[in-house]
Amino acid sequence: MILAYLHQVQLNNDGVDMWQESGNLTNAFGDLTISSNWQDSPDCSENSLVSQLQTTLDLQQQLDIFSMSAGRVLTLSGLTLKTALGEFTARGSKNGQHQHLVTLTLEKQVLAELCYEAEYAFTPLIQQQLLLLESEWLFALRNALVVSRLQQMALKDPLTLLGNRRFFDDSFAKAIQLAKRHQSPFVLLLLDLDNFKQVNDISGHSVGDDVLLKVADCMRDTLRATDSLFRFGGDEFAVLLSDSDAEHAERVSERLLQAIKQDAFLAEHQVGCSIGLARLAPEQQARDVFHQADEALYQAKLSGKGKVRHSSLTRPKFAEARAGALLAAS
């Protein structure tokens, strides 16, 4: 087990600073609650770590700034920050022979876990020097976490915790730009649940919410962690596929369709889904890809639900097909 010391700085009889243990060994996730004398007098000079960290509320940028200061104490192989909002890794990180794990705590509130990796051992003196640096990060880290949490709340669907429509619009535009810049494949999937309205009508909205949660779980379990998942509202969902998965989008779509179809809870309520997909062509803009995926989704619905369709209708034909569907439903 990796052990971490807790220390405090005090003066010896000659007035020289010295390290002295203030407690017993803790477990691998050492408690880094900082004493008041460190909080009250941080070094806030222009080039200090505190001042550098206060220039940004971005967690990744703060981690990179901190890693440069920590690297002056000991040459690090890697540095990872684990928070409730996600995991962040300093640029250039890789595995090291030795690890040092700590918990960053401020005013009895756990902010994050920090994992150092290096080819050299973390001696008690090195741990104490890192502890001093960590104490300078705590307030800036807490502020960044608060801002990040608020940003995530504004961009997530409160029920499923998938991205909301606002987040989709931003992510979709960026994904199109990246795909064009790197000439890489990109596919948009649009999902619409089949028979969802009857769940709300027969079983109530509480069960309807459970259905939406189950669909979101199926999407997470079926797709890669790097794929972007969204709920627009109601029973409409979207997925952004890039790189290798985009080349096999039909296969991915069929796998997702089957995962939802075979789920016992969703089968009990006779809920399935229809999927429309559209590939990015070099001359297309984001709105063109979205319209094509929307067209494909309606083709899937018109063909009897529970299907995957790639857009092939021209827009005039699509308008006719949609008008026919509306008349049939009326």
Side-chain angles (χ1 to χ4, degrees), residues 43-55:
D43 178 8
C44 295
S45 58
E46 183 177 351
N47 295 321
S48 70
L49 176 59
V50 172
S51 296
Q52 294 178 55
L53 291 168
Q54 288 176 345
T55 62

Side-chain angles (χ1 to χ4, degrees), residues 85-98:
L85 304 178
E87 186 172 307
F88 303 85
T89 302
R91 287 181 297 177
S93 290
K94 59 183 180 181
N95 295 333
Q97 185 176 355
H98 298 272

Side-chain angles (χ1 to χ4, degrees), residues 93-305:
S93 290
K94 59 183 180 181
N95 295 333
Q97 185 176 355
H98 298 272
Q99 283 190 346
H100 176 51
L101 307 175
V102 295
T103 297
L104 302 180
T105 305
L106 179 63
E107 297 173 353
K108 298 183 179 181
Q109 177 187 10
V110 175
L111 302 180
E113 293 177 354
L114 195 59
C115 177
Y116 301 89
E117 301 208 32
E119 297 303 319
Y120 306 96
F122 292 85
T123 66
L125 178 58
I126 288 173
Q127 292 179 29
Q128 186 62 50
Q129 291 173 319
L130 293 174
L131 175 64
L132 289 172
L133 292 178
E134 291 154 8
S135 72
E136 297 182 3
W137 189 12
L138 295 180
F139 287 99
L141 176 60
R142 182 177 64 179
N143 293 340
L145 287 168
V146 169
V147 170
S148 296
R149 187 180 297 276
L150 291 173
Q151 289 175 337
Q152 285 199 5
M153 289 173 61
L155 298 175
K156 283 191 175 182
D157 169 54
L159 176 63
T160 63
L161 299 183
L162 300 180
N164 60 18
R165 182 57 188 263
R166 176 184 172 187
F167 192 23
F168 169 82
D169 290 339
D170 183 55
S171 301
F172 185 39
K174 289 179 179 177
I176 294 288
Q177 292 175 0
L178 285 174
K180 286 189 172 185
R181 183 182 307 163
H182 299 292
Q183 297 182 340
S184 57
F186 172 82
V187 171
L188 168 66
L189 305 184
L190 294 181
L191 288 75
D192 188 85
L193 299 188
D194 300 329
N195 305 322
F196 179 71
K197 184 177 183 298
Q198 73 181 28
V199 175
N200 284 333
D201 293 344
I202 297 173
S203 303
H205 289 278
S206 177
V207 176
D209 287 348
D210 291 338
V211 165
L212 295 172
L213 287 168
K214 180 59 71 172
V215 170
D217 288 341
C218 288
M219 294 174 69
R220 292 189 186 96
D221 293 341
T222 305
L223 301 169
R224 301 178 303 177
T226 53
D227 293 325
S228 300
L229 314 178
F230 306 88
R231 179 192 173 211
F232 289 168
D235 59 345
E236 297 177 344
F237 298 82
V239 181
L240 306 183
L241 297 179
S242 57
D243 300 327
S244 60
D245 268 8
E247 296 177 358
H248 308 286
E250 288 88 350
R251 190 183 310 165
V252 173
S253 300
E254 289 289 349
R255 190 166 65 240
L256 179 56
L257 192 76
Q258 290 303 312
I260 293 175
K261 181 179 180 180
Q262 295 173 3
D263 181 85
F265 179 76
L266 297 177
E268 177 186 349
H269 293 282
Q270 300 180 337
V271 172
C273 77
S274 300
I275 301 176
L277 64 90
R279 298 180 182 275
L280 173 67
E283 73 280 0
Q284 288 183 321
Q285 302 301 319
R287 62 180 178 273
D288 301 317
V289 180
F290 188 89
H291 282 310
Q292 285 192 332
D294 190 36
E295 293 171 2
L297 177 59
Y298 273 89
Q299 291 180 50
K301 287 287 190 182
L302 290 172
S303 64
K305 303 179 182 180

